[in-house]
Amino acid sequence: MSKFDCNKVMPRYSAIAIIMTLVAVFVLGKTLYTMTAKHDYWSKVADRVKKDSVSVKPIRGNILSCDGQLMASSLPEFKLFVDFKAIREAKNDSLWDIKVDSVCRGLNKIFPEKTAAAFKRDLTEGRKKQSRNWPIWNSRVDYNTYSEVKTLPIFKLPSYKSGFHVEEYNARKRSYGSLAGRTIGAMFGAKDTARFGLELSYDSILRGTNGIIHRRKVLNKFLDIMDTPPIDGADIVTTIDVSMQDLAERSLINELKLINGNVGVAIVMDVTTGDVKAIVNMEKCVDDQYREIHNHAVSDLLEPGSVFKTASIMVALDDGVVDTSYQVETGCGVWPMYGKEMKDHNWRGGGYGLLTLPKTLMMSSNIGVSRIIDDHYRNDPDKFVRGLYRTGIADNLQIPLVGSCPARIRMPRKNSRGEWANWSRTALPWMSIGYESQVPPISTLTFYNAIANNGKMMRPRFVKQVIKNGEVIMDFPPEVMRESICKESTLHELQTILEHVVSQGLGKKAGSKSFKVAGKTGTAQMSKGTAGYKNGGTNYLLSFAGYFPADAPRYSCIVCIQKSGLPASGGGMSGVVFHDIAEGIMAQSLKLDVTDARDSTSVLVPDVKNGNILAADYVLSHLGISTNKTWGGSYTEGNPIWGCAEKKGGRSVSLERKQMQGCRYVPDITGMGARDAVYLLESRGVKVTVIGRGKVIKQSLEPGHLIKKGERCQISLK
């Protein structure tokens, strides 16, 4: 190339370089502009087309009864929204203007609490604001309601055209309503977090693990792309028996209403396993209705009263300081105790006088029990309290329910000078009869359950298993807390005494004519804090704790009722509830074989109606009844085989085919059931009117009558 040619080309390359430089500067400037001035705008655009790390909630596990019935489960609930910007972007504003009245009328039919005009005002406001999440209804709705809204005009279009979208929640529903509600637990609806009960105690198992997705907008549609799938929660199998729970609730509420009680507790426990089969906590509300507000059964630290006397006598018998022949003087029902008066419940009637040790429990004598304990432990009270601890009544049961507390039984303590620091001379006699200590009902029941279980103390069990997809992934076997709470001889003596409390003593109303019951009554005045026991109206804690059947214990039960004023009787009020629960449970558990109910002298042959002889033969043969078939007669007009049945002696029936006339004539239907009679008549073109039930005893058209078109026959059954 010549020099002249090079000079001509150079300016051309320079121009291209300048243009390229300018383009690069423009691109760089535009990039900087987009990254700075337009940053917020494009961030919002990006948020509309994608969303990273969206948490996906798993399905919460179910809570099941002991036999697998659903007690709490998760069902979907929805919050309904409209995205008005999506409607505008889909260019459906004109369609909205046309259909908005129809939409509002439809919403009014679904939600009658709000008028169509109010819906229109509300939706119009959302449209003016161009809200992307304008609520249609302020609370969650179930799937059926959501489906109804989805069928309304506009909303039935795809979400990117209609703007209709939802937020889905896993709502917690209890299949049996309030049954065992305080024990099963509940959820905070808005937060989907557990509040109390087994829902809270086993939340980590029931809740599962959240998953993660990210969303991308592709072809104007949002797609969910799963990063980490959620892991659904597992199910827990409780020990609660639905039928026993229902029985216990009804029995307790009936008595509470009758005596105007304030609070009622009932617990039923399986003797050998410690399984809590029913647990009821009823409290009177301001509207005079009884509901479960607190779990009093595991949290109430109250002075138990006379049901505690069994533990006191157990300590004395186990230490060998007394035996069942021991006698104690109770006087006229009032006894001075270190400057205070100890009274028996019948002190106005003159008291019990001289009592044997078994009689002190049978008659629930405060004086008798307190004198026995005070006479033998006044110089060594900590020995008595150590004996109480030995019975297990003060053990921490580790109940898996929030608010549960172990019993509080004070141990005597001396200061450096050898003086009692937390003890007085009246503490021991009053502690022995159920005061000066706080024991929740479930601790008392666990103690009585151990007596029924031949001394073996079982930890109360509320959950048996954790299952997932039908497989057991965690097992909670029955747990023995103490192999023995006392000597074997002591146990047998107390079992006999507790039987006599019901059969001969103050616990008669808790007994049953069908099986033996053992237990102990309790009636205690409730302290009002610093006000003591005698300020204003007196509140009482009425109790009955025991087990049944006494000769082969299957279940233990405690019933505690708090009420104000007299009359107040542990045996006469709580004992009645115990009786109703015990008899109901034993009746439910009866399993009788039908063969046991047969009378060998009776002839077990059913009454067989005239009619389809083939059907009768089939049923009788499957009942084991032989049939002597007589298949004579004619078989005409394509009708089924109709005949009569005749009872014979023993276990056989003679079936005989009955000759039927042609289809133009009315057949004889006497003795048939309604189905066979109607079939025969209507198959011949006769309209039938049926009166009564049973067998046909009369027909308005006589047998053999020539049938005319449209004729009607009235048949009477009896």
Side-chain angles (χ1 to χ4, degrees), residues 532-591:
Y533 295 90
K534 298 181 180 180
N535 185 41
T538 304
N539 290 337
Y540 293 92
L541 175 63
L542 316 175
S543 307
F544 187 92
Y547 51 88
F548 57 93
D551 47 357
R554 294 174 58 188
Y555 299 102
S556 60
C557 177
I558 187 170
V559 178
C560 300
I561 295 175
Q562 298 176 33
K563 76 176 297 283
S564 301
L566 296 171
S569 168
M573 294 175 178
S574 293
V576 170
V577 180
F578 184 100
H579 163 86
D580 293 343
I581 293 173
E583 290 219 323
I585 289 174
M586 293 302 290
Q588 288 175 357
S589 64
L590 286 176
K591 295 181 180 178

Side-chain angles (χ1 to χ4, degrees), residues 269 307-312 314 388 391-393 397 441-452 457 485 494 498:
M269 186 181 292
V307 291
F308 193 82
K309 292 174 181 175
T310 305
S312 298
M314 177 180 285
L388 290 176
T391 67
I393 198 168
L397 303 179
I442 195 154
S443 292
T444 303
L445 178 60
T446 303
F447 168 73
Y448 277 86
N449 192 79
I451 296 175
M457 178 174 282
I485 61 172
L494 275 173
L498 292 178

Side-chain angles (χ1 to χ4, degrees), residues 17 32 38 74 85 142 222 231 258 311 389 394-395 397 418 459 498 568 577 599 655 666 692:
L32 292 172
K38 288 290 186 176
S74 293
K85 283 191 177 181
D142 59 24
F222 281 104
I231 301 173
L258 183 65
Y389 276 75
D395 287 357
L397 303 179
R459 191 182 305 280
L498 292 178
V577 180
D599 183 355
L655 299 178
V666 175

